[in-house]
Amino acid sequence: MDNCLFCKIAEKKIPSSIVYEDEELMVFKDIRPAAPVHLLVIPKTHITTLSDCTAGHAPLLGRMLALAPRLAEEHGCAVTFNADGEPSGGYKTLINSGPDGGQEIYHLHLHVIGGPHPWRVEAPRHG
Ligand code: AMP
Ligand code: ZN
């Protein structure tokens, strides 16, 4: 896709802090992190928005989401439980879609946002 920032990042025509890459996916650090850990998981092939996805995209979307726990583990924000069963750590997985969904870059991406608070993320609230 011409003139798509994340296609250019996937093609390494624009530099980014890449933390994971395989044939299908790339993960890099968000340039304006909302939390101590803020990664973006993208397909290397251009998909404009989640609304362009159909059932045929389910394996790709599944692989994107399934990367999150591995990334969280590697970046120190996995969910763990102590001997009393109390959870700690953690992260959000987020896909913004369209203007009302807060999408700024029109190349599908999954945010993985985590680490110790405070975070700079919009409250998911309405009304
Ligand atoms: P969204 O609002 O879901 O479209 O998120 C787009 C994200 O891309 C924002 O969190 C931006 O900070 C991030 N971003 C924009 N340009 C770059 C870049 N060159 N490298 C890394 N992240 C970027
Ligand atoms: Zn693109």
Side-chain angles (χ1 to χ4, degrees):
M1 186 83 170
D2 288 348
N3 242 351
C4 169
L5 177 65
F6 285 0
C7 280
K8 286 178 184 157
I9 284 178
E11 292 163 14
K12 298 181 182 163
K13 289 179 179 162
I14 288 180
S16 66
S17 297
I18 299 168
V19 301
Y20 174 88
E21 184 177 6
D22 62 26
E23 278 187 7
E24 183 181 42
L25 304 177
M26 183 180 274
V27 185
F28 52 93
K29 293 185 180 176
D30 196 294
I31 207 166
R32 205 170 153 255
V37 177
H38 191 165
L39 306 173
L40 300 174
V41 181
I42 64 165
K44 287 184 173 176
T45 307
H46 184 85
I47 297 172
T48 302
T49 178
L50 186 62
S51 281
D52 286 343
C53 292
T54 62
H57 293 92
L60 168 74
L61 293 168
R63 284 190 286 274
M64 289 173 68
L65 191 59
L67 258 189
R70 172 177 167 178
L71 294 166
E73 184 79 40
E74 289 171 0
H75 292 267
C77 60
V79 181
T80 56
F81 293 86
N82 69 13
D84 296 325
E86 295 292 333
S88 64
Y91 52 93
K92 281 188 195 298
T93 46
L94 180 71
I95 297 177
N96 295 324
S97 302
D100 287 348
Q103 185 174 4
E104 289 171 12
I105 306 284
Y106 280 81
H107 178 127
L108 178 67
H109 52 281
L110 171 71
H111 295 256
V112 179
I113 302 169
H117 284 241
W119 296 359
R120 177 188 57 77
V121 280
E122 278 182 50
R125 219 171 268 139
H126 177 67

